Structure formats: structure tokens, C-alpha cells
Amino acid sequence: CHALSQKIVGPAYHDVAERYRKNPKALETVMANIKAGGANKWSAVPMPPFPALTDAELKVLAQFVLSQ
């Protein structure tokens, strides 16, 4: 659903990182967004939730996205 630098179904990771670059709570916000999923943050297409991921897994994923 995502790519590094281009929109597919969801936004490019680079665009996500850019949106949160100046947000001091970016890591926590992206972790929560991955866990909860949702729609209408980028488009009406919903992102599925990932409630089974541990906090450590969510942190690794969010750090990767924010590093793009």
C-alpha cells in the first residue's frame, strides 16, 4: 500500500516523514496511527489497523517511516 517515494494506495513514506518532521510527538503519533489504522488522514481510503503489533514492533516501523 505504501512505497518509499511515491503514492500507491497510501502516501509515500517520504511524505509521511515530511508531514511529521517538525512534530515533537511524531514517533508516538505514527506508532498510534499504525496500530489504530483509520481513514481521512491522507484520503478516504482506510488503512487497516495493526493491533497485534507490540510497542517495540510499532516503534521500529514508525522510526523507519520517519527516517525517509
Side-chain angles (χ1 to χ4, degrees):
C1 293
H2 300 276
L4 293 178
S5 60
Q6 66 185 25
K7 179 183 182 341
I8 298 178
V9 174
Y13 291 143
H14 172 78
D15 294 339
V16 175
E18 202 49 45
R19 176 180 278 189
Y20 293 104
R21 193 154 321 277
K22 295 181 182 179
N23 182 338
K25 296 192 180 234
L27 182 62
E28 295 86 357
T29 301
V30 174
M31 287 173 64
N33 289 344
I34 294 169
K35 186 169 191 161
N40 300 317
K41 291 177 185 141
W42 295 87
S43 72
V45 177
M47 182 175 104
F50 294 91
L53 294 176
T54 66
D55 286 345
E57 292 168 327
L58 290 165
K59 185 174 182 179
V60 168
L61 288 170
Q63 286 174 325
F64 171 77
V65 170
L66 292 170
S67 72
Q68 299 309 304

